[in-house]
Amino acid sequence: MTRKQQKTVPALAAVLVVGSLLASCAEGGGQEEGDADSSSSAKPHGYVEGAEEAAEQQSRLVLRDGGTGAVSLLDLVEEDTRKLGRAKDASGMSTDGRFAYVGSPNGTEVFDGGSWMVDHGDHVHYYRAKAKDVGGVGKKEAEHVFSSPSLTALSFADGTARLLDRARMEKGKLRTTAVLKDARKGPVVPYEDVALVPVSGSGGGTVVEVRDTEGRKKEQLAEKCADLRGAAVTRRGVVFGCADGALFVSGKTDGELEAEKIPFPDDVEKEERPGAFSHRSLGTTLAAKAGDKGAWLLDVTERRWKRVDSGPVVAVNTAGEGAPLLALDRSGTLTSYDAESGEELASRKVLRKPARKGSEPTIEVDANRAYVNDVAARKIYEIDYADDLRRARTFPLDFAPTDMVETGR
């Protein structure tokens, strides 16, 4: 049964599911505004103005045609495609789970995918709203974009960074709270209501400063991170890639931040170090390329690295928490590996033609499926990675999906 066929289930069942979810939220979180018993107009727990709450994840793909610059949205629930706007001469696209950021020499265009999730720890809320083009930021290309519920940070190649008010962005407004001129050592990453800023240490090397929303320094973390490159936001904290492993920054129960190293198991050559991380939204296991050797897995919970010697790959990802590592090689063959043993589980040719340099495909993952963009065939493939990489659905397009990110995760 496809997801579209599943929509024919009687509406009453969906209402009951959503009602159960809201009731359980109210029991766990109490009322946000007043007492529901005393006022029929009180807003329910999880209410978001202008959005519809759903009982399940509302996955959408934001896609860009590298030839025309057209940006489109593929709704994986409704199974339809619509135009969002245009972003020419872009070099890539990233997402924070809701917004898609398309960087070009003329600035960074922000698109609201219109689907997102809010993690309350013991339960999750899923929302859908109208997707739209929010507008452009600055006049130069952002190399990295990371977000927290409070802040979005854009880092540029010239060592500057811009902090944006995330709450205003959710209302369709782009408001800068600070411009940082000394972020020369790596990407700025928001964590809760602060920004983690890699800067030059007084005794050499790279240190991470904690800044407020206005860019003012609050503290400096003790652990250093030599040759910092690559970062990721997980459910448990922020990861920075270092020459000797990873720097993991998390919050303590007293509200302070602490940093600890997760060292590589052995010495790692520079060309085999991670340069960027891929993972399921808020997942605690990260995947990265390991040069020509294969791929890395970093389990943040266990504080453990593992290298899977798959050979050269063009894209990797994992849903984490017992899910396999997914690796796509240049021939277009997708292979899954056991995350613990590194053993090959399944392999399947998915791309019509070998991946071309400069337009390598992407693997996006969520809790149940993976998505691969076939640029040459103008198709998106939905892969059931728990069922021998079975192709669950194919989405033909009338444009080339050069860039792809998933929202609603």
Side-chain angles (χ1 to χ4, degrees):
M1 179 182 293
T2 69
R3 293 187 186 180
K4 193 161 188 175
Q5 288 170 329
Q6 289 172 351
K7 291 186 295 178
T8 62
V9 174
L12 177 59
V15 172
L16 291 175
V17 172
V18 175
S20 298
L21 175 62
L22 294 177
S24 64
C25 293
E27 290 174 4
Q31 296 295 326
E32 285 192 342
E33 294 188 23
D35 185 345
D37 293 331
S38 61
S39 174
S40 60
S41 63
K43 296 175 183 178
H45 175 66
Y47 171 83
V48 175
E49 185 177 358
E52 174 189 350
E53 186 166 8
E56 61 181 12
Q57 182 173 296
Q58 301 296 296
S59 296
R60 294 173 173 178
L61 298 176
V62 180
L63 309 167
R64 192 188 75 90
D65 185 329
T68 66
V71 178
S72 303
L73 182 84
L74 170 58
D75 191 315
L76 297 170
V77 177
E78 300 292 338
E79 297 185 351
D80 61 10
T81 307
R82 69 205 72 160
K83 302 296 184 183
L84 284 182
R86 192 173 299 274
K88 281 195 167 185
D89 303 320
S91 60
M93 183 160 55
S94 61
T95 186
D96 55 21
R98 173 172 177 175
F99 294 92
Y101 304 90
V102 185
S104 75
N106 301 317
T108 299
E109 196 72 14
V110 183
F111 296 91
D112 187 347
S115 61
W116 67 96
M117 56 173 276
V118 177
D119 183 5
H120 285 190
D122 60 343
H123 64 277
V124 177
H125 293 272
Y126 301 106
Y127 298 98
R128 60 184 294 120
K130 183 179 179 180
K132 58 187 176 182
D133 185 346
V134 180
V137 180
K139 297 182 179 180
K140 53 189 175 182
E141 181 177 2
E143 286 193 326
H144 306 278
V145 183
F146 292 98
S147 295
S148 73
S150 301
L151 288 172
T152 292
L154 286 74
S155 301
F156 305 98
D158 61 2
T160 63
R162 185 185 293 261
L163 302 183
L164 303 179
D165 185 327
R166 173 65 180 224
R168 292 290 296 274
M169 190 185 300
E170 292 172 355
K171 296 179 179 180
K173 305 292 184 180
L174 297 173
R175 176 180 176 271
T176 299
T177 65
V179 175
L180 311 180
K181 298 182 178 181
D182 57 347
R184 301 184 182 279
K185 289 295 185 175
V188 175
V189 183
Y191 181 58
E192 296 180 350
D193 60 349
V194 297
L196 304 178
V197 185
V199 298
S200 299
S202 57
T206 299
V207 296
V208 176
E209 288 186 353
V210 181
R211 308 275 184 92
D212 65 16
T213 58
E214 305 298 324
R216 295 181 291 256
K217 179 180 175 181
K218 297 183 66 176
E219 62 174 312
Q220 179 179 298
L221 302 179
E223 285 282 356
K224 292 187 176 182
C225 181
D227 193 20
L228 186 152
R229 61 183 185 185
V233 180
T234 78
R235 183 177 229 151
R236 299 184 182 276
V238 172
V239 171
F240 291 100
C242 310
D244 54 354
L247 179 67
F248 179 55
V249 182
S250 59
K252 297 191 293 186
T253 55
D254 59 4
E256 295 184 0
L257 296 182
E258 62 178 348
E260 60 180 303
K261 274 293 180 60
I262 306 177
F264 289 126
D266 301 296
D267 291 337
V268 175
E269 298 294 329
K270 185 174 183 179
E271 60 271 16
E272 297 171 9
R273 284 180 46 207
F277 297 98
S278 302
H279 59 105
R280 180 167 63 91
S281 179
L282 297 180
T284 56
T285 302
L286 312 180
K289 299 177 188 177
D292 290 335
K293 292 291 182 68
W296 287 106
L297 283 171
L298 172 59
D299 187 327
V300 173
T301 303
E302 299 294 331
R303 311 290 199 270
R304 182 180 62 194
W305 289 93
K306 180 175 182 57
R307 194 179 72 192
V308 176
D309 295 328
S310 63
V313 295
V314 297
V316 293
N317 214 331
T318 181
E321 300 172 2
L325 167 72
L326 302 178
L328 184 70
D329 66 22
R330 193 162 292 280
S331 75
T333 299
L334 181 66
T335 305
S336 61
Y337 298 88
D338 183 90
E340 289 295 326
S341 67
E343 177 186 357
E344 181 178 318
L345 300 175
S347 185
R348 185 180 299 273
K349 183 74 178 291
V350 295
L351 299 186
R352 187 178 72 175
K353 296 180 179 180
R356 295 174 52 190
K357 286 189 176 181
S359 61
E360 284 86 356
T362 300
I363 303 172
E364 289 288 315
V365 294
D366 56 37
N368 300 300
R369 297 287 190 265
Y371 299 91
V372 179
N373 53 322
D374 191 335
V375 181
R378 295 189 166 197
K379 294 178 179 179
I380 302 295
Y381 305 121
E382 180 182 79
I383 307 296
D384 186 346
Y385 53 78
D387 187 14
D388 293 332
L389 303 180
R390 176 179 61 87
R391 187 180 295 178
R393 291 188 292 179
T394 298
F395 298 95
L397 304 169
D398 60 1
F399 60 90
T402 310
D403 299 310
M404 175 182 74
V405 296
E406 183 179 0
T407 68
R409 302 178 298 168

